[in-house]
Structure formats: C-alpha cells, structure tokens
Amino acid sequence: MATLPAQNTNKVDQLVTEAFFGGYFRYEPQFPKIFKVIPPKQFNAKFSIWAGIGGPTATTTAGTYTGHDITEVGSISVSQQAYKDEISIPKGYAVFEHFGEIAESLVQLGLNYQVERDDVHARIFKNAFISTGGHGITIGGTATPLVSDTNRIGNTGLTFDNELATALSTTQYGAAYQIFTRMVTHDNKSRPMMPALLVHTPNLHETVFQLLRSPGDPTTANRAENAWQGHVSSLEWPILQVNNGGCDDTANDTLAELQDNWFLLADKMLTRFYSMESIAPKMTIIPSSEATGARLYQFDMQIAAVAADWIGVVGSSGTA
C-alpha cells in the first residue's frame, strides 16, 4: 500500500519563519525617532507629572540650602495591548510543499504586525486633540488633550496654549516656534525650549520641503532667503494620516482631516513620549497540534505607548 512521504517539518518551520519575518522587516517603523523605548516593569504602568522641583536658588557661599517639596500634580496610566494570532498549516501543504499561498499570507501577517507597532504610537498623535476615551493627560484633577489651548500648568490654576488650529505655513511655523520660547514648567517657571523635529503627514511633503529645505523664501517670488531653512529636522510619518482603527477623534478621523495634522517637538530627551513592549513580535511552533492533522503556529505581541506630558509639544489639526 502506498504511503505519503514523511513531511519535512524543519523545512516548513523555516519557511513559515522566513515568510512572517520577511514581511515584518519590510516596513520601517518611525516611532523610535520620537518615543523613548523603555523596558516595561508591569502590564499596567503609571507615569507621574511632578512640580515643586524649582531651583536653582541663588545664595551666598555660606548660605543655607533651599528645600523643595516635590509634589505629584498629574498622571497618566496605560495598559499594554496584547495581540495573538495563529495559523494552521495542513499536512498536505507540509508534505507537498504547496506553500506559496500560505507564504503570501504570512508575509502580510508579519507586515501587519510591524505596521500595528507603528500605529500604536501614531495614535497618540491622531488622538492628540481629545481627552475622552482614555486619551489626554490629567493634571490638577482635570483631563486635557496633549495639544490644547487650556493645558494645565501643575496646580497653579493657570493654563498654557500649545495648539495652533491652522494649516502649516511659514507664518504658523513661526508662531509655533514662539510658543516654544514661552514654555514653562509645572511650577510656572519659564523654560524656553528649542524645537527639534517637525512631524507631519505625506500630504504636507511639499509644504515642509519649501519651509525647511528651500534656500529661497517660499512666500515670495523674489530672491529673499528662507529664514527657516534647516531650522529643525522633519519626520514624514505616512501612517499618521491613515485611520486603521484606534482613532477616537470623530472630528479628526478621516483622511481629509488627518492629512493636515502637524506637530513640532522638542528633542526626544526633553519630551515624555514612551514606548513599552514586553513581548516583541514572536512566533511559537506548537508541534503537538499535528495530532489533529495540521501544524500550528502562534504569533504574539504585547505593546503600549504613552504621552506623559505636554511640555515640549506644539501641534495643529491644520484647520481652524
């Protein structure tokens, strides 16, 4: 009696691995250029906002030291999102290596995992103008969006406006820069900052090129020099204008609305954007599943992103 040839499970495992991670590495995430990647210590994390640091306090050589009462004035909590998928490879495919169609699906799955990693972080900016649905930052007992004209300054009762509800232009870029020169701490102490990165959508590619790279003034037809050339770096983030789900801002969730969003950020060391990933995308082979006539592959990821303060951020939805 004829029998089927023994399946080469090692080769199938190799093909599955190559297909999934081949797709995974075909997409380059942009979030590491903005977010500090930190090792998560627990599934749920809380980030505090502090005031009372004050200083430096001038005194004489023999003067006494000035104490500071550091106080928590706000916080934001975040939980990691778990992702779990599995694909079953029938024995027929393993035996005869009819693998093309499954390989294509695995490439797409790997690509989707990497895109989702990027989008988890991009949603911070897609939801930057709302404080509902778990978004925003709670300071002084009041939740406000990451970008708002009424951001709380600690417990001082004062507010700070880091929102420009206008389209990107040389004039509005200059206005955003001026906001940076007026930045304050949560003690309402002046902290002038320099912007470092302009984050934008592909729709603003030409505008950003003219603003930051053109040697000539983009607002005139004469030979005037462009005062903003090379002022900051820019990051064009394609997924920023796509709603893949998770965009809860109903007034700013379509392509036509998202494509005009832009954000001016301080250096990454001065902003409080954090990325936590306790489980990087991984694949697990379940050999015991062959008893049911198939070989099972499971894919996991566990990740979260958070913006823990508005200081060092200016943004615009591009519309009034």
Side-chain angles (χ1 to χ4, degrees):
M1 182 177 64
T3 59
L4 291 174
Q7 63 177 350
N8 187 344
T9 54
N10 289 336
K11 187 171 184 179
V12 174
D13 293 345
Q14 179 183 349
L15 291 171
V16 170
T17 303
E18 290 176 350
F20 177 80
F21 287 102
Y24 179 79
F25 288 113
R26 286 296 182 273
Y27 179 92
E28 181 181 359
Q30 300 300 310
F31 73 85
K33 300 174 183 177
I34 300 173
F35 290 76
K36 302 182 189 75
V37 179
I38 60 174
K41 297 180 180 180
Q42 53 193 18
F43 185 82
N44 301 310
K46 174 185 174 182
F47 295 84
S48 296
I49 299 171
W50 303 95
I53 298 174
T57 304
T59 185
T60 63
T61 302
T64 59
Y65 289 90
T66 300
H68 299 280
D69 296 323
I70 299 177
T71 305
E72 183 185 60
V73 297
S75 66
I76 184 170
S77 298
V78 62
S79 299
Q80 294 185 62
Q81 176 64 57
Y83 297 84
K84 296 183 178 182
D85 297 278
E86 64 181 22
I87 289 182
S88 177
I89 309 295
K91 282 188 174 181
Y93 287 90
V95 171
F96 298 108
E97 298 176 7
H98 295 165
F99 198 71
E101 60 202 72
I102 293 181
E104 291 179 4
S105 298
L106 286 163
V107 168
Q108 289 301 314
L109 181 61
L111 179 62
N112 291 345
Y113 261 67
Q114 186 72 291
V115 171
E116 180 67 12
R117 289 179 76 233
D118 210 23
D119 200 31
V120 164
H121 299 78
R123 289 170 198 157
I124 297 293
F125 294 92
K126 296 178 190 180
N127 294 298
F129 307 99
I130 61 172
S131 58
T132 56
H135 305 291
I137 304 168
T138 298
I139 301 176
T142 301
T144 55
L146 172 65
V147 176
S148 170
D149 58 1
T150 57
N151 264 313
R152 303 272 296 187
I153 302 175
N155 290 328
T156 65
L158 303 174
T159 60
F160 189 89
D161 184 357
N162 70 338
E163 180 177 12
L164 288 169
T166 47
L168 180 62
S169 66
T170 54
T171 300
Q172 293 308 311
Y173 180 84
Y177 173 57
Q178 289 301 318
I179 292 175
F180 267 84
T181 68
R182 300 193 299 270
M183 284 282 175
V184 296
T185 68
H186 286 293
D187 296 300
N188 197 34
K189 182 172 183 176
S190 178
R191 182 189 282 176
M193 304 178 78
M194 285 294 294
L197 184 67
L198 178 60
V199 181
H200 65 94
T201 65
N203 186 59
L204 298 176
H205 176 91
E206 185 175 355
T207 300
V208 172
F209 180 87
Q210 293 173 344
L211 174 65
L212 297 178
R213 299 183 185 178
S214 173
D217 185 345
T219 65
T220 68
N222 58 32
R223 296 186 177 182
E225 294 184 359
N226 178 14
W228 299 118
Q229 182 186 11
H231 191 248
V232 297
S233 300
S234 63
L235 172 61
E236 186 170 304
W237 202 356
I239 204 165
L240 200 61
Q241 69 181 32
V242 179
N243 184 357
N244 283 343
C247 180
D248 300 322
D249 186 353
T250 56
N252 191 42
D253 62 355
T254 66
L255 174 61
E257 294 162 341
L258 289 168
Q259 66 183 4
D260 292 325
N261 289 0
W262 59 277
F263 303 88
L264 192 59
L265 309 179
D267 184 90
K268 187 168 74 169
M269 293 303 296
L270 300 177
T271 57
R272 297 192 67 197
F273 294 104
Y274 300 106
S275 173
M276 298 163 288
E277 190 172 38
S278 59
I279 301 179
K282 71 172 185 177
M283 182 187 78
T284 304
I285 304 168
I286 312 297
S288 60
S289 61
E290 293 177 5
T292 62
R295 194 164 176 82
L296 191 64
Y297 300 87
Q298 295 180 337
F299 304 89
D300 293 86
M301 178 171 71
Q302 197 161 282
I303 191 170
V306 65
D309 207 340
W310 54 262
I311 295 176
V313 179
V314 175
S316 173
S317 60
T319 56

